[in-house]
Amino acid sequence: MTAKTKPTILIVVGITGDLSHRKLLPAIEQIVKAQAAPEKFEVVGISRRDVTAAEVLKGSMAEVQKGFLSKHLNMFQMDLSNPADYNRLKDYLKELEVQMGAPAQRLFYLSVPPQISEPIIRCLGEVGLAESSDTKLLLEKPFGTDLTSAQELITQTRKYFKEEQIYRIDHYLAKDMAQNLVVFRGGNSLFKRTWNKDFIERIQVVASEAIDIEGRTTFYEQTGALRDVVQSHLLQLAALTLMQSPEVGQVSEVPKHRLAALKQLQLPAGQPITNSVKRAQYKGYQRDVNNPDSRTETFVSLTLESQDPAWAGVPIQLITGKSLKEKLTEIRITYKKEQQFEANELVIKFQPHEEIELCLWIKVPGYEWRVERHFLQLEFNEQFGEIREAYEQVLLDAIVGNHTFFTSSEEVLETWRILQPILSAWSMQDQDLQLYPPGTDYQELM
Ligand code: BG6
């Protein structure tokens, strides 16, 4: 069944939030415009206050305000901490289904902090809103705040929802370039055969951002760069890079291979954490969050190793931060060399453009024998036109029930297992937190 033939009600908890405005609402509009959305499709926005659909849409793009959502966003006011309100919601959804004229699957999309999602899940379960197999739960990261809380959240959620009903969103996995990585490294013999420790010297996964925390004060103070970006996006990109390549066409095997790759990752054993992890905070952050004592990191870089023999001795560096010199997201693969001019680098770029770049040495044409480094580039925008936004894919995959590019509970636990020693060490002391001026190049902080 395609998304178009699946009558769907998408229930959005957190509709007035930043993520909904910036990503979700435009993505809904876009899949409708591309004629990929269900033909029978309604969106229900949950809010505590009495807000109209027009008010919710007002902060979004003009296209969203005038398009599909102006007719199909239904607002439902309720108190999320009041179990009785969930019964009202249940009746409301039944009524909406009658109006749609067909049984519709229900997608509950929770864009709320992890501390709040657990009681919401419990209430949904207790009024019987989780029972039907045609009900799905879409969860935004972070999934817990450490290994123990993630385990707890998973156990609680499983009381009401089966694993097949749960879609843990990591929008990096839904990015075209992340998915392309599977094909690029597995489908080209040149790279497939050299994708290991014998040829590769180092792997870097970088997500540098020029923006600061943009007013997300409470969220960021409780989260920090390690939990916000490393636990999810960067570890998943690392897993896609390190995993065994699935057989051609066997894309459904990707989650199994990602999990196996995560299981092999760890911090270097027998060393103090500060040898492999650096953290820093941009100057002005304490003012931004109105907390002069804040020790939350806005930058982190860490070096991991894999126990997979294919990657023995290859450092895997994960780097992210806010208020840095530029927006740049990339996976940088540095190849081994015997002489300086042999050094090759393959860079898989997500931001600022989706691009694959291979750095090669060539002789510059001319009378002299001059060797220089140049780049072979494949720019995706130029080749394929505009690239779809990750959230469009997230929605369509959840609607049709394709879990391949969502995070499983086992993966979530593995990522927290990898990072837990850092969290434990940081909870004891914060002497190693450095300060950096906004606009710093990430390489100066590593
Ligand atoms: C989100 C983080 O998951 O990813 C944000 O919470 C970050 O802090 C964002 O800015 C980056 O996403 P993208 O797609 O713009 O690289």
Side-chain angles (χ1 to χ4, degrees):
M1 196 180 251
T2 66
K4 286 177 78 136
T5 55
K6 243 356 227 130
T8 300
I9 304 177
L10 173 67
I11 303 114
V12 184
V13 182
I15 188 107
T16 51
D18 176 63
L19 188 63
S20 145
H21 272 133
R22 282 194 304 125
K23 305 274 191 195
L24 186 70
L25 300 177
I28 294 173
E29 208 60 55
Q30 194 52 39
I31 60 170
V32 173
K33 204 166 132 202
Q35 298 187 350
E39 275 153 14
K40 288 180 189 286
F41 186 27
E42 293 294 327
V43 180
V44 176
I46 306 286
S47 85
R48 196 158 26 93
R49 290 172 291 122
D50 183 15
V51 193
T52 64
E55 280 164 342
V56 169
L57 299 179
K58 211 164 153 206
S60 310
M61 305 144 56
E63 224 174 283
V64 176
Q65 291 168 42
K66 287 189 278 170
F68 168 83
L69 283 162
S70 67
K71 298 187 203 79
H72 297 273
L73 172 61
N74 312 271
M75 292 303 292
F76 185 81
Q77 196 185 351
M78 67 181 277
D79 175 359
L80 286 163
S81 61
N82 179 2
D85 277 9
Y86 288 79
N87 277 315
R88 279 203 303 115
L89 175 64
K90 197 173 167 184
D91 295 340
Y92 178 79
L93 294 176
K94 258 192 223 147
E95 179 66 22
L96 189 58
E97 210 174 63
V98 172
Q99 287 170 26
M100 288 168 78
Q105 63 166 343
R106 292 168 186 179
L107 271 59
F108 288 94
Y109 171 93
L110 267 52
S111 175
V112 290
Q115 299 83 343
I116 306 179
S117 53
E118 202 257 296
I120 297 175
I121 292 167
R122 181 165 23 86
C123 288
L124 288 172
E126 280 172 1
V127 299
L129 272 167
E131 275 159 20
S132 154
S133 60
D134 232 8
T135 296
K136 295 169 181 167
L137 181 68
L138 276 67
L139 296 175
E140 276 293 347
K141 52 156 270 284
F143 313 112
T145 52
D146 58 11
L147 183 56
T148 313
S149 64
Q151 179 72 70
E152 177 70 9
L153 184 60
I154 289 168
T155 311
Q156 289 303 327
T157 310
R158 286 250 186 89
K159 282 190 186 158
Y160 307 104
F161 289 89
K162 299 194 187 81
E163 183 73 10
E164 314 83 83
Q165 288 177 281
I166 306 170
Y167 294 77
R168 294 182 193 83
I169 301 169
D170 183 325
H171 77 281
Y172 268 51
L173 281 178
K175 285 182 188 259
D176 250 315
M177 194 52 103
Q179 302 190 351
N180 189 47
L181 188 57
V182 179
V183 176
F184 179 80
R185 38 162 298 208
N188 294 293
S189 99
L190 176 62
F191 295 103
K192 188 175 179 181
R193 286 157 195 271
T194 56
W195 208 259
N196 56 53
K197 63 157 196 336
D198 297 333
F199 295 90
I200 291 176
E201 182 175 287
R202 187 178 67 226
I203 295 173
Q204 278 188 341
V205 185
V206 186
S208 151
E209 292 189 278
I211 53 168
D212 59 20
I213 58 161
E214 294 191 306
R216 297 156 82 205
T217 48
T218 317
F219 166 78
Y220 209 85
E221 261 297 82
Q222 291 169 353
T223 311
L226 189 76
R227 291 183 174 97
D228 184 30
V229 174
V230 178
Q231 184 266 328
S232 46
H233 308 328
L234 296 197
L235 279 170
Q236 285 296 351
L237 291 188
L240 284 174
T241 309
L242 299 167
M243 70 181 189
Q244 186 192 320
S245 263
E247 293 302 314
V248 177
Q250 299 295 313
V251 68
S252 60
E253 288 187 356
V254 168
K256 180 177 84 184
H257 293 314
R258 276 197 324 254
L259 175 64
L262 288 171
K263 284 191 173 186
Q264 301 294 335
L265 276 177
Q266 60 176 32
L267 286 157
Q271 291 179 21
I273 293 289
T274 43
N275 279 13
S276 42
V277 184
K278 301 268 177 290
R279 62 174 154 164
Q281 187 187 74
Y282 68 80
K283 289 183 182 158
Y285 173 80
Q286 295 178 339
R287 188 196 52 227
D288 285 354
V289 293
N290 201 13
N291 176 8
D293 299 322
S294 172
R295 307 296 285 159
T296 302
E297 82 289 356
T298 60
F299 169 89
V300 63
S301 82
L302 56 146
T303 305
L304 299 173
E305 56 186 31
S306 170
Q307 288 179 301
D308 180 342
W311 294 111
V314 179
I316 298 134
Q317 297 177 305
L318 310 182
I319 304 136
T320 188
K322 301 261 183 204
S323 270
L324 294 169
K325 184 175 158 210
E326 57 191 332
K327 173 86 178 162
L328 175 151
T329 311
E330 62 185 29
I331 302 172
R332 186 170 286 266
I333 312 281
T334 307
Y335 284 86
K336 287 188 169 161
K337 57 180 186 279
E338 278 169 11
Q339 304 179 49
Q340 181 50 31
F341 74 81
E342 287 176 349
N344 293 134
E345 257 182 353
L346 170 70
V347 192
I348 306 195
K349 299 187 179 190
F350 296 71
Q351 301 268 8
H353 310 292
E354 309 217 281
E355 184 179 347
I356 294 177
E357 184 180 86
L358 183 62
C359 135
L360 302 167
W361 293 87
I362 50 126
K363 177 192 170 290
V364 179
Y367 298 128
E368 289 168 37
W369 188 265
R370 199 149 56 84
V371 175
E372 274 182 7
R373 217 162 79 112
H374 281 265
F375 300 94
L376 273 184
Q377 284 157 325
L378 176 64
E379 245 228 58
F380 277 49
N381 267 329
E382 254 174 40
Q383 288 286 326
F384 307 108
E386 211 177 311
I387 307 290
R388 61 154 174 74
E389 281 286 332
Y391 269 84
E392 298 165 30
Q393 194 67 41
V394 164
L395 285 173
L396 290 174
D397 282 349
I399 289 168
V400 296
N402 178 3
H403 273 97
T404 310
F405 291 101
F406 290 88
T407 317
S408 69
S409 56
E410 284 174 287
E411 287 174 274
V412 169
L413 292 177
E414 281 305 320
T415 52
W416 286 118
R417 193 249 331 137
I418 297 164
L419 302 182
Q420 191 56 51
I422 306 177
L423 295 172
S424 305
W426 283 1
S427 69
M428 314 278 282
Q429 62 81 29
D430 56 23
Q431 315 275 299
D432 55 312
L433 182 82
Q434 297 181 22
L435 290 180
Y436 61 95
T440 303
D441 191 324
Y442 74 87
Q443 302 194 41
E444 290 172 32
L445 296 170
M446 290 172 57

